[in-house]
Amino acid sequence: MFWFLLLTMVVVVTAVTLAVVGGGGSAVLQDVPPERFTDPLPATRPVGRADIEALRLPMAPRGYRMADVDEALSRLGAELAERDARIAELESTLAGAQAAAVTTGTDLFEQPGDQRPGDRRTGGPDRTEEDGR
C-alpha cells in the first residue's frame, strides 16, 4: 500500500510539473508579449486634465518603463512650456493696453453704448448742468 501511494504521488507531481513547464502538450503556457505604451495623449489638441487622469503607463518587472515615462513627461513639459509662453504673451499685451489706457484716460472695460452721467464723450448729461451749477 505504501508503494502504491508513493507511486501515485510521484505521477501526480510529475504531471503537474510537465503541464506547468510546457512538456504536457496541450496545456502549454505561451509567451505573452510585453505591454507597450500607446500614447493616449491627444496629438491634435492641447492636453487637458482629463487626459492626464486617464493616462495609464504599462507596468514593467521593476515598476514602469523609463522610456515610456520620459516620453509622457516630455510631452507634458512641452505643453506646459507652450501654455506658459502664451500666458506671458497675453499678460504683456494686457499690460501694454492698460498702460495705453492710463495715458489716454480711457476705460478698458467700457462697453460700447454704455452711458454714464457726466460723460461728455457718450453724450450723457453733465452733472453740473443737471444741478444748475
Side-chain angles (χ1 to χ4, degrees):
M1 181 73 169
F2 173 75
W3 292 107
F4 176 72
L5 289 175
L6 184 64
L7 183 63
T8 305
M9 190 169 62
V10 168
V11 168
V12 169
V13 169
T14 304
V16 169
T17 304
L18 287 176
V20 170
V21 172
S26 63
V28 176
L29 296 177
Q30 298 177 359
D31 289 333
V32 177
E35 284 185 74
R36 290 291 175 206
F37 178 60
T38 55
D39 187 11
L41 299 176
T44 58
R45 62 179 173 79
V47 175
R49 179 182 178 142
D51 298 322
I52 303 301
E53 290 174 353
L55 181 65
R56 297 292 176 257
L57 298 171
M59 295 295 291
R62 292 184 285 155
Y64 295 101
R65 288 190 172 83
M66 288 190 335
D68 295 340
V69 174
D70 290 344
E71 180 181 339
L73 289 177
S74 68
R75 171 77 190 278
L76 292 174
E79 290 276 340
L80 288 174
E82 183 178 320
R83 287 183 186 176
D84 288 345
R86 179 70 177 145
I87 288 170
E89 174 187 340
L90 292 173
E91 286 176 343
S92 154
T93 303
L94 179 63
Q98 286 175 338
V102 166
T103 58
T104 61
T106 59
D107 186 7
L108 289 177
F109 301 106
E110 182 180 325
Q111 297 292 325
D114 282 351
Q115 292 185 358
R116 290 180 283 160
D119 190 0
R120 295 176 192 232
R121 288 176 289 135
T122 59
D126 191 1
R127 197 169 248 193
T128 56
E129 293 173 9
E130 279 182 315
D131 296 337
R133 291 187 227 168

